[in-house]
Amino acid sequence: MRKMSTSSPEAVKKLLENMQSDLRSLSLECRKKFPPVKEAAESGIVKVKTIAARNTDILAALKENSSEVVQPLLMGCGTKEPKIAQLCLSAIQRLMSHEVVSEGAAGNIINMLWQLMENGLEELKLLQTVLVLLTTNTVVHDDALAKAIVLCFRLHFTKDNITNNTAAATVRQVVTVVFERMDAEDEQHKDDDSHPPVVQGNSNRRTISTLRPCAKDAYMLFQDLCQLVNADAPYWLVGMTEMTRTFGLELLESVLNDFPRVFLQHQEFSFLLKERVCPLVIKLFSPNIKFRQGTNTPSSPTPVEKPYFPICMRLLRVVSVLIKHFYSLLVTECEIFLSLLVKFLDGDKPQWLRAVAVECIHRLCVQPQLLRSFCQSYDMKPHSTKVFRDIVNALGSFIQSLFITPSTGSNPISNMQTGTSGGGGPATAQNGSGTSANVGLTPQPAFEYRGTWIPILNTSVQGTSKAAYLELLDKVEPPTIPDGYAMSVAFGCLLDLVRGITAMIEAEFDSEGITSQPGVTKQAADVQSSEQLEKLSANEKAAVSRAVWEEMVGACWCGLLAALSLLLDASTDETASENILKAEMTMASLCGKLSLVTPRDAFITAICKASLPPHYALTVLNSSSGGLHKTYSIQGQSVQMISPSSDSHQQVVAVGQPLTSQHQGTVMLTAKNIQCMRTLLNLAHCHGSVLGTSWQLVLATLQHLVWILGLKPASGGALKPGRAVEGPSTVLTTAVMSDLPVISNILSRLFESSQYLDDVSLHHLINALCSLSTEAMDMAFWNNKEPSLFAVAKLLETGLVNMHRIEILWRPLTGHLLEVCQHPNARMREWGAEAVTSLIKAGLSFKHDPPLSQNQRLQSLLLNPLKELSNIVHPDIRQKQLECVLQILQNEGDSLGPGWPLVLGVIEAIRNDQGESLIRTAFQCLQLVVTDFLPTMPSTCLQIVVDVAGSFGLQNQELNISLTSIGLLWNISDYFFQRGETIEKELDKEEALLQKQAEEKGVPLNRPFHPAPPFDCLWLCLYSKLGELCVDPRPAVRKSGGQTLFSTVGAHGTLLQHATWHTVLWKVLFPLLDRVRESSTTADKEKIESGGGNILIHHSRDTAEKQWAETWVLTLAGVARIFNTRRYLLQSLGDFSKAWDVLLDHIQSAALSKNNEVSLAALKSCQEILQIVTPVKDSDKSEGLSGVNMPVFVGPLIPPPRTLSRTDSLGEKLGRYIGAELSAAVDEIEDSALWWAAWNTWYKIGLESTKPPTTCDKLFFIPSQPFLTALVQIFPALYQHIKSGFSMEDLKKLGVILHGAVSVPISSDASPFILPSYTEAVLTSLQEAVLISLDVLQKVLKILRSI
């Protein structure tokens, strides 16, 4: 812009006018005193006019003739007259600004300015002129430039302050201009391949020839600045008479800071850095290294030079720049510088030196990439100084030393009163709120440890380094360091260090996508240069990066942890504590990501310990960190790292009971404990995926804090504030009371967020909770206190939110909870059962993909713990189990599918001795199954339903349940009947599958009642269960079971295949008759007073024998009825005759029993099977009977036992038997053997029952008249079937029976009802029957005679 404006025609015209005007003015001024100048000025005017007239490019012509043009002006300056000199200098500046000064003219001008300087004239104007000359063009080089720079330097050391300061500013600007020229020159030649090769050599002189002009000037200038600071004579800046080191160091720093590219791109300049600057810095640091504050060594041969603040501070600034920009060039030198910095933090150094050094370190700590380079270049190299580790450890040691040996004059009380007002400017400037911080209600933020109080000052914004003392360039004497300043800067260093390296590593970690794979090859770790790195593959690069990260964390974690733990313990400010906790949490997370287990656990342990009351006996924390205290010690400092102890400055917010058994009394929680607890929750919530095994530490601590605060588990596993009466010694402040719901929510959110953890992390979480729960269980074994339910509740909560991947955690989760369910402590096992059942219900109701109906394995997995609960003896657990089953049935019953066997198994598992309540609940489940879910379950499960219903019928705790379960069996049978076709198809299909599997395995198919068809087997199982109920010890159950059995067989027996009836007879009915006969004959005859409660028993049922007699009657009648109604079907079976014999045997046993009821019923059954009542063939049955629910007996029923009516005439009775004879002729059973077997049985019954006693025993049993009557009444019907073979021998046998029957005496009790009164001459029923029998014989004989 300026060039365009100065070269425009208007600007040129104005320049010519101004030049002529200046020369005229000069001519006038010198007219009298300096005629030669006047003549030169006038000739100059002519010269200018001539140039303007003859040239089109006036500016170029002016520049070409500039030596002549400026000559009058130079002569004017030579007059040494101030007014003339000012006029000439202004004119010269105007020419310079239009860039019309040639190199020769410029040299003449500089010589003239030098003369003016030596004469002390127009010093400010001189500086201005030099600046214009050097900034507007580049014609000044080499010695002329050096002379101009020396001129400025010399003016800097005059006695006038204004001139000094202006000259200082000019020098700085001129130095900058020199290097800017070099930058521009490099830019201009950046594409020039003809750059001369770099000459290798140690001599700085020889390297000049390889440089371009501007670069050469810059090189010579920088070299001489080093010479001057080192108090050596300059090579190029000839004429220097005076120089200060402070000013020289400032100039060196500005060049190094502003133009790092120059030194990095030009080996000549790199050489200067290595060979001149670094040795110079190390040399100048010498007094600071050797000095020890407080040492007095008069015998020392040479006194130790005291550190000089201005030099030291500037040296540290230079060092900061060297490390920042030229670390890659000066690896070895930077190692020395960094080691020096660390030494400057030692306690024996002056306070100001320590403060400046910590400021310098802070500048490094905000540059994480630089720290990474330190680690790579030093810490990772064998036999090298561990620089990065030393820096961190030095900071930690520095902080500890401030607590041990506080700065002189530190008085906690006065400091607390005055705050930071006792410092100089920097202290006030750094405290954002000034002194007003002490006026408000909030106390000054500070650290307090063992009586030492150190205020926290607001030194800088996080992430930036704002140094107060490194900027004091105008101070000569060391400043007074305010209390707390050094601590605050060191604190900022730690925070920025953590923040920087964490952000850097995590950013690289995410960008490279490196997985947590610990361990890297040494070759990868040794890669250092960028060229080497470029040659590596992506995986190798990742390995290199990981090695560096691990080394960085490994180098710094011990020092960081020791320092941060101490500061957290000492902190009295919530914000400071928050920053420390955040740093510890960040480091824990970083270590977790890098799979560095020991440091991760150490940081987490520190947060955990800070969360708990002092010296709280928590084994998991003490055992995991007990061996780490030695590791934490820093640089030989014997500082004991202990749990929080200085709690006098902390507000107690809660008092509660400890969970640990060792503690007696109460423990206190402070506001800081709660703050640490929040950090712990935040850590687990945000970084749970990297916690790994340290979940144990975190959860153990949270468990204890939750216990102290009185949080108790509620539904779903969430923790809620418990009742105030839980612990009489629990005291909570209002602040904490309002915080409890928040803490509870955070806790819940923590476990809700587990759904976002990867599978491995989730298993770590589950394992930690299980481990905690095991500890709580162990404690509850030996302790009568209420157990901690934290772990169980959170296992439940974790399981509920991870239903989408429940398979991976189900076994460990439920396996542990089942152990909890067996615990002797009722409260603990109650929660174990609550957790298990809640998880099962949630798992079944969750919308899985694929759904459970298509994933039988998952459904079995979910239901299996429900089945496992059956092995637990505690009634409260079984009650929970059954309530769970009931809810599952109500909510998920329609979709259980393959899960039915397991659910039914749980219902069936209730044992007889487990109390009415459990049995009643289980039976409710069964009722629900039978009433609502039979159609929805697989047909293969129906047999299980029958077994379960049968088992409830057999239980002896609740009679009503037994009776109701028999009713359920009837309902089940009705369901079988109604859905028979569907059930049969399903069962056949399943049978085929099982048969195939059995054949493949080479084993026979194992199934009850095999080889009957599956559907028939189902019926047989039902009949078998009812058969068991028919011999139950309770009469009501026997009666109900028997009625249901025979009703079921009668109503639905047609569904069975013919061959299956063989099994019905021999596996169900005959075994039942055997058991009933045995039980009846061995039944107790002792009288039963009552049936329980206020129930009275009728005299006919007041002994067990009488009660069993009723059962015998019912059973025998039922079997006989089946033989009668299914006669044609049974006859088709191959062994009917054998079955007939068995039945006759049972009838004989019953008829000869010493019980009138049984014996009479046996004869009635005999009448039935002999078909005195006519049966109806199966084919003649009404179709309408098939759907009837209640039993329907085919054919006329046997009339109830009664004596034959005396009103019938003998002729009527004969007619009945003649009709029977005709009927028998039609329905004659061809197998006469069956009837002869019946005759033999009849004969045996008659013979045994009518045989007179051999002794006069009072207890001899006399058969009743109805029995004898019924016996005789059988003969006419029987005779119709055997008459063809009826021999004389048989007639004699009949005579014996009939004679014996009428000879039996009538008991006195029955005689009034049987014997006729004296006015009547009527036969008894028995006598009538005998006569009828004889009449039948006589009638047959007549027919035979007629034939």
Side-chain angles (χ1 to χ4, degrees):
M1 286 290 291
R2 188 178 65 197
K3 185 145 188 165
M4 288 178 65
S5 63
T6 55
S7 60
S8 63
E10 295 80 10
V12 172
K13 183 180 178 183
K14 191 170 183 182
L15 172 64
L16 293 171
E17 290 173 355
N18 288 334
M19 286 177 64
Q20 292 176 47
S21 174
D22 289 338
L23 290 170
R24 286 193 198 99
S25 299
L26 178 62
S27 174
L28 287 170
E29 288 293 333
C30 300
R31 184 178 53 191
K32 294 180 181 179
K33 295 181 65 175
F34 307 103
V37 176
K38 171 182 174 293
E39 289 174 6
E42 287 174 353
S43 64
I45 293 171
V46 175
K47 185 72 175 174
V48 169
K49 286 179 180 180
T50 304
I51 291 171
R54 291 181 180 176
N55 297 280
T56 52
D57 189 351
I58 297 171
L59 290 180
L62 282 174
K63 185 172 183 179
E64 189 179 339
N65 297 282
S66 58
S67 296
E68 298 175 27
V69 173
V70 299
Q71 187 59 36
L73 301 175
L74 296 177
M75 291 173 65
C77 291
T79 63
K80 300 179 184 178
E81 284 289 331
K83 187 176 179 182
I84 296 172
Q86 283 182 9
L87 175 64
C88 293
L89 289 174
S90 296
I92 290 170
Q93 287 177 17
R94 188 176 289 112
L95 288 171
M96 291 174 184
S97 63
H98 283 76
E99 299 185 27
V100 291
V101 177
S102 64
E103 189 172 342
N108 294 335
I109 292 170
I110 289 170
N111 290 331
M112 179 271 298
L113 294 175
W114 183 274
Q115 291 174 8
L116 289 175
M117 175 270 295
E118 286 187 327
N119 291 313
L121 295 174
E122 298 300 329
E123 291 170 337
L124 294 178
K125 199 75 173 174
L126 290 181
L127 292 168
Q128 189 181 29
T129 306
V130 170
L131 198 55
V132 173
L133 175 61
L134 298 181
T135 54
T136 55
N137 57 72
T138 57
V139 295
V140 181
H141 285 295
D142 295 333
D143 294 339
L145 177 60
K147 196 167 189 176
I149 295 171
V150 171
L151 182 151
C152 297
F153 269 114
R154 289 183 56 170
L155 287 175
H156 173 52
F157 295 105
T158 60
K159 296 179 180 177
D160 182 66
N161 281 337
I162 297 174
T163 305
N164 287 353
N165 294 334
T166 307
T170 306
V171 168
R172 289 190 176 92
Q173 202 163 349
V174 167
V175 170
T176 302
V177 166
V178 170
F179 279 88
E180 283 176 348
R181 284 182 180 183
M182 181 179 176
D183 251 355
E185 184 179 64
D186 286 345
E187 187 68 24
Q188 183 180 348
H189 293 87
K190 67 179 180 181
D191 298 325
D192 186 2
D193 293 333
S194 61
H195 189 278
V198 175
V199 176
Q200 297 294 332
N202 292 327
S203 168
N204 61 302
R205 280 313 208 187
R206 276 186 293 168
T207 59
I208 300 174
S209 61
T210 64
L211 295 171
R212 299 188 186 96
C214 293
K216 179 182 174 184
D217 291 339
Y219 180 90
M220 298 303 293
L221 172 60
F222 190 79
Q223 179 181 245
D224 276 6
L225 287 176
C226 296
Q227 288 287 100
L228 290 167
V229 171
N230 200 30
D232 291 333
Y235 299 117
W236 187 58
L237 297 176
V238 180
M240 289 286 292
T241 57
E242 193 174 353
M243 181 64 175
T244 61
R245 268 186 181 154
T246 52
F247 189 46
L249 288 171
E250 287 175 30
L251 291 174
L252 285 177
E253 182 206 348
S254 69
V255 171
L256 293 169
N257 195 44
D258 295 342
F259 303 98
R261 197 171 62 174
V262 167
F263 295 88
L264 295 171
Q265 290 182 349
H266 295 271
Q267 190 166 350
E268 299 86 351
F269 284 84
S270 304
F271 177 84
L272 280 181
L273 273 183
K274 278 181 151 317
E275 298 298 320
R276 296 299 174 87
V277 177
C278 293
L280 173 63
V281 170
I282 294 168
K283 172 188 170 185
L284 294 178
F285 262 141
S286 178
N288 308 287
I289 300 166
K290 296 175 182 175
F291 182 75
R292 296 283 184 273
Q293 195 167 14
T295 56
N296 186 15
T297 53
S299 59
S300 177
T302 55
V304 176
E305 185 182 351
K306 196 173 182 182
Y308 182 52
F309 171 73
I311 298 290
C312 183
M313 177 261 290
R314 285 164 175 80
L315 282 173
L316 286 173
R317 288 171 65 95
V318 171
V319 164
S320 295
V321 174
L322 287 173
I323 294 172
K324 178 179 180 180
H325 293 304
F326 310 110
Y327 167 78
S328 58
L329 283 178
L330 310 171
V331 176
T332 307
E333 291 80 359
C334 285
E335 182 177 356
I336 298 168
F337 296 151
L338 291 167
S339 300
L340 290 177
L341 272 179
V342 168
K343 281 189 170 58
F344 290 165
L345 293 179
D346 287 351
D348 54 11
K349 295 290 186 282
Q351 288 300 318
W352 63 263
L353 180 56
R354 301 179 81 195
V356 177
V358 83
E359 283 183 348
C360 195
I361 288 175
H362 194 190
R363 287 187 171 183
L364 303 178
C365 289
V366 296
Q367 301 175 70
Q369 291 292 349
L370 193 59
L371 297 176
R372 175 196 175 112
S373 299
F374 294 165
C375 187
Q376 235 172 331
S377 300
Y378 307 128
D379 295 64
M380 294 180 74
K381 298 297 178 188
H383 315 300
S384 174
T385 310
K386 307 298 182 187
V387 172
F388 179 56
R389 185 194 64 192
D390 290 348
I391 290 172
V392 180
N393 287 354
L395 283 170
S397 183
F398 176 68
I399 288 170
Q400 290 188 21
S401 69
L402 293 176
F403 284 116
I404 300 166
T405 54
S407 55
T408 312
S410 173
N411 183 341
I413 299 171
S414 64
N415 282 335
M416 288 175 74
Q417 291 169 345
T418 60
T420 58
S421 58
T428 310
Q430 294 307 319
N431 187 355
S433 56
T435 55
S436 62
N438 308 304
V439 180
L441 297 174
T442 55
Q444 161 114 26
F447 294 113
E448 182 183 350
Y449 187 78
R450 297 187 176 179
T452 302
W453 187 88
I454 302 174
I456 302 173
L457 309 180
N458 183 20
T459 56
S460 64
V461 181
Q462 71 173 36
T464 62
S465 168
K466 185 181 178 184
Y469 300 105
L470 280 175
E471 302 297 335
L472 294 182
L473 296 171
D474 56 336
K475 299 288 183 183
V476 177
E477 291 301 318
T480 304
I481 309 296
D483 290 334
Y485 178 76
M487 171 66 82
S488 302
V489 176
F491 180 39
C493 285
L494 293 179
L495 298 183
D496 285 331
L497 182 77
V498 171
R499 191 181 301 111
I501 64 171
T502 306
M504 175 188 69
I505 292 176
E506 288 186 348
E508 293 179 7
F509 195 96
D510 295 338
S511 66
E512 295 187 19
I514 296 176
T515 55
S516 296
Q517 297 172 344
V520 181
T521 61
K522 186 176 186 303
Q523 289 82 356
D526 286 342
V527 174
Q528 182 180 350
S529 70
S530 58
E531 291 82 3
Q532 286 177 294
L533 199 59
E534 287 300 319
K535 295 175 185 176
L536 298 177
S537 67
N539 287 339
E540 289 172 328
K541 286 181 183 177
V544 171
S545 296
R546 187 181 182 87
V548 178
W549 301 338
E550 289 180 2
E551 181 63 36
M552 285 189 80
V553 174
C556 72
W557 75 267
C558 282
L560 278 175
L561 181 58
L564 291 173
S565 299
L566 176 63
L567 290 174
L568 181 60
D569 187 10
S571 171
T572 62
D573 177 55
E574 185 177 348
T575 305
S577 299
E578 189 65 36
N579 287 332
I580 297 166
L581 288 167
K582 187 177 179 182
E584 291 188 340
M585 180 178 75
T586 306
M587 284 301 296
S589 165
L590 181 61
C591 295
K593 279 189 177 181
L594 297 176
S595 305
L596 301 174
V597 175
T598 302
R600 178 198 67 195
D601 289 357
F603 279 104
I604 292 173
T605 301
I607 300 174
C608 292
K609 281 193 169 186
S611 305
L612 291 165
H615 313 299
Y616 193 84
L618 186 48
T619 314
V620 67
L621 296 183
N622 294 333
S623 62
S624 65
S625 61
L628 296 176
H629 289 312
K630 269 185 187 173
T631 316
Y632 292 169
S633 64
I634 296 171
Q635 294 192 344
Q637 296 283 352
S638 57
V639 179
Q640 179 88 25
M641 297 303 297
I642 57 169
S643 294
S645 56
S646 51
D647 284 326
S648 57
H649 51 269
Q650 285 293 320
Q651 174 194 2
V652 175
V653 293
V655 179
Q657 292 287 335
L659 178 57
T660 50
S661 55
Q662 296 94 325
H663 272 282
Q664 298 296 325
T666 58
V667 290
M668 294 181 291
L669 289 177
T670 64
K672 190 193 288 183
N673 292 142
I674 302 297
Q675 189 180 8
C676 295
M677 179 185 184
R678 283 173 174 271
T679 301
L680 202 56
L681 287 167
N682 193 16
L683 168 70
H685 187 273
C686 300
H687 307 291
S689 59
V690 298
L691 289 186
T693 52
S694 55
W695 271 110
Q696 177 81 15
L697 303 170
V698 174
L699 294 176
T701 306
L702 290 175
Q703 174 182 240
H704 284 258
L705 289 167
V706 159
W707 180 269
I708 295 169
L709 291 169
L711 293 172
K712 307 292 179 185
S715 62
L719 296 168
K720 304 293 183 188
R723 301 187 304 278
V725 296
E726 290 286 356
S729 54
T730 301
V731 181
L732 303 176
T733 62
T734 311
V736 170
M737 285 298 286
S738 62
D739 261 358
L740 282 186
V742 179
I743 291 172
S744 171
N745 288 335
I746 296 173
L747 265 170
S748 289
R749 284 205 303 276
L750 162 58
F751 290 93
E752 284 168 16
S753 68
S754 67
Q755 62 188 298
Y756 305 114
L757 294 177
D758 59 79
D759 292 353
V760 175
S761 301
L762 181 63
H763 270 294
H764 280 304
L765 172 58
I766 296 288
N767 291 343
L769 284 170
C770 290
S771 177
L772 273 189
S773 178
T774 303
E775 288 176 15
M777 287 165 66
D778 293 343
M779 198 180 297
F781 266 115
W782 315 111
N783 202 328
N784 293 326
K785 285 171 55 174
E786 181 184 2
S788 170
L789 302 170
F790 173 85
V792 175
K794 293 310 172 187
L795 278 171
L796 167 58
E797 206 168 11
T798 305
L800 290 176
V801 298
N802 284 282
M803 279 297 161
H804 59 286
R805 50 172 173 177
I806 196 66
E807 283 184 84
I808 66 164
L809 59 96
W810 188 253
R811 292 184 193 281
L813 185 63
T814 54
H816 176 77
L817 290 175
L818 287 170
E819 290 179 26
V820 178
C821 292
Q822 300 176 54
H823 198 274
N825 185 293
R827 177 89 172 126
M828 177 156 272
R829 67 172 181 263
E830 173 198 345
W831 258 95
E834 171 72 23
V836 169
T837 53
S838 297
L839 286 169
I840 294 169
K841 287 183 286 187
L844 292 174
S845 62
F846 186 78
K847 304 299 180 190
H848 296 276
D849 184 23
L852 286 181
S853 58
Q854 299 169 25
N855 191 346
Q856 184 177 350
R857 191 180 63 80
L858 177 58
Q859 188 185 57
S860 300
L861 184 71
L862 292 173
L863 286 170
N864 205 51
L866 195 63
K867 176 186 170 187
E868 295 292 328
L869 286 172
S870 302
N871 301 324
I872 297 171
V873 295
H874 300 291
D876 51 345
I877 300 301
R878 303 303 295 278
Q879 186 69 34
K880 283 266 188 191
Q881 177 198 31
L882 292 170
E883 288 170 3
C884 176
V885 170
L886 200 55
Q887 290 172 4
I888 289 172
L889 290 172
Q890 290 166 347
N891 299 327
E892 314 297 332
D894 292 327
S895 59
L896 275 177
W900 275 109
L902 215 148
V903 172
L904 292 169
V906 171
I907 298 172
E908 187 181 21
I910 296 302
R911 294 201 309 275
N912 208 14
D913 58 351
Q914 288 182 320
E916 287 183 28
S917 175
L918 283 181
I919 293 172
R920 196 174 292 115
T921 308
F923 189 64
Q924 280 180 358
C925 299
L926 178 63
Q927 283 179 301
L928 192 59
V929 170
V930 174
T931 54
D932 290 1
F933 298 114
L934 288 181
T936 66
M937 70 172 63
S939 296
T940 49
C941 300
L942 293 174
Q943 183 185 327
I944 305 174
V945 177
V946 171
D947 291 340
V948 176
S951 67
F952 276 97
L954 293 171
Q955 60 78 34
N956 59 17
Q957 295 291 313
E958 181 65 68
L959 178 61
N960 286 338
I961 287 178
S962 294
L963 297 175
T964 310
S965 68
I966 295 171
L968 290 180
L969 285 170
W970 169 257
N971 293 342
I972 292 167
S973 73
D974 192 44
Y975 171 75
F976 292 171
F977 186 75
Q978 291 172 354
R979 298 280 296 272
E981 191 175 338
T982 308
I983 295 172
E984 190 168 10
K985 283 181 183 175
E986 285 189 34
L987 289 176
D988 287 345
K989 185 178 177 182
E990 181 69 20
E991 175 88 355
L993 186 64
L994 292 174
Q995 186 70 46
K996 184 179 178 183
Q997 291 174 351
E999 288 172 2
E1000 289 173 357
K1001 293 177 182 176
V1003 294
L1005 183 63
N1006 185 16
R1007 176 169 55 75
F1009 303 109
H1010 189 69
F1015 187 46
D1016 286 11
C1017 287
L1018 194 57
W1019 281 107
L1020 290 170
C1021 287
L1022 178 68
Y1023 296 157
S1024 178
K1025 277 295 169 190
L1026 286 168
E1028 289 180 39
L1029 291 165
C1030 290
V1031 292
D1032 190 89
R1034 295 162 295 178
V1037 175
R1038 294 199 298 270
K1039 182 176 182 180
S1040 179
Q1043 288 173 340
T1044 305
L1045 172 63
F1046 296 115
S1047 299
T1048 306
V1049 175
H1052 307 315
T1054 54
L1055 294 178
L1056 296 176
Q1057 295 187 14
H1058 284 190
T1060 307
W1061 275 99
H1062 181 275
T1063 311
V1064 173
L1065 284 180
W1066 295 103
K1067 294 290 181 68
V1068 179
L1069 297 179
F1070 287 155
L1072 172 61
L1073 280 171
D1074 288 339
R1075 282 182 288 173
V1076 170
R1077 178 169 63 184
E1078 183 184 354
S1079 298
S1080 296
T1081 53
T1082 59
D1084 194 358
K1085 297 179 175 60
E1086 189 175 338
K1087 187 176 181 181
I1088 301 170
E1089 293 300 329
S1090 68
N1094 297 321
I1095 300 173
L1096 296 176
I1097 297 180
H1098 191 267
H1099 66 84
S1100 65
R1101 296 286 179 261
D1102 61 357
T1103 68
E1105 183 185 36
K1106 292 175 181 178
Q1107 292 169 350
W1108 272 103
E1110 180 185 25
T1111 305
W1112 200 355
V1113 168
L1114 178 66
T1115 307
L1116 191 57
V1119 174
R1121 191 178 308 120
I1122 289 169
F1123 262 79
N1124 186 28
T1125 56
R1126 307 291 179 204
R1127 175 177 163 184
Y1128 298 103
L1129 187 150
L1130 295 175
Q1131 270 187 274
S1132 65
L1133 298 176
D1135 55 356
F1136 179 71
S1137 59
K1138 183 180 176 184
W1140 181 262
D1141 290 342
V1142 172
L1143 178 60
L1144 289 175
D1145 178 61
H1146 278 287
I1147 290 173
Q1148 179 181 324
S1149 300
L1152 295 176
S1153 71
K1154 308 300 183 185
N1155 184 293
N1156 284 324
E1157 181 183 4
V1158 175
S1159 58
L1160 184 58
L1163 294 181
K1164 296 303 179 186
S1165 297
C1166 186
Q1167 288 179 358
E1168 182 158 8
I1169 67 166
L1170 295 178
Q1171 295 188 333
I1172 294 170
V1173 195
T1174 307
V1176 179
K1177 291 183 180 179
D1178 290 345
S1179 59
D1180 299 336
K1181 273 195 271 182
S1182 167
E1183 292 298 324
L1185 294 176
S1186 62
V1188 179
N1189 290 340
M1190 291 303 292
V1192 176
F1193 295 113
V1194 182
L1197 294 174
I1198 300 173
R1202 61 176 179 83
T1203 57
L1204 294 174
S1205 171
R1206 296 188 224 176
T1207 58
D1208 292 345
S1209 66
L1210 189 59
E1212 288 173 337
K1213 293 186 178 161
L1214 281 171
R1216 184 187 310 155
Y1217 284 104
I1218 290 166
E1221 181 182 343
L1222 294 173
S1223 173
V1226 177
D1227 297 318
E1228 184 71 44
I1229 300 176
E1230 292 179 0
D1231 193 351
S1232 61
L1234 299 177
W1235 295 109
W1236 280 107
W1239 157 254
N1240 288 331
T1241 301
W1242 183 86
Y1243 171 69
K1244 289 174 186 174
I1245 293 170
L1247 189 65
E1248 286 295 322
S1249 60
T1250 59
K1251 187 191 296 183
T1254 55
T1255 59
C1256 297
D1257 190 353
K1258 291 182 180 179
L1259 298 177
F1260 183 76
F1261 178 76
I1262 300 173
S1264 67
Q1265 289 295 303
F1267 171 81
L1268 296 170
T1269 304
L1271 178 67
V1272 174
Q1273 284 175 343
I1274 290 171
F1275 176 73
L1278 179 60
Y1279 179 69
Q1280 300 304 321
H1281 300 288
I1282 60 172
K1283 61 186 177 182
S1284 60
F1286 202 74
S1287 66
M1288 183 57 67
E1289 190 67 30
D1290 296 326
L1291 185 60
K1292 287 179 182 178
K1293 289 180 181 178
L1294 175 63
V1296 172
I1297 300 302
L1298 295 177
H1299 180 268
V1302 294
S1303 303
V1304 173
I1306 302 171
S1307 69
S1308 57
D1309 294 342
S1311 60
F1313 305 100
I1314 297 172
L1315 295 176
S1317 63
Y1318 67 92
T1319 57
E1320 296 178 344
V1322 183
L1323 294 174
T1324 65
S1325 299
L1326 174 59
Q1327 291 164 346
E1328 279 189 25
V1330 171
L1331 287 174
I1332 291 170
S1333 298
L1334 293 173
D1335 194 54
V1336 167
L1337 278 172
Q1338 186 181 355
K1339 193 172 182 64
V1340 170
L1341 289 173
K1342 283 180 182 180
I1343 294 170
L1344 289 173
R1345 280 196 198 110
S1346 64
I1347 293 172

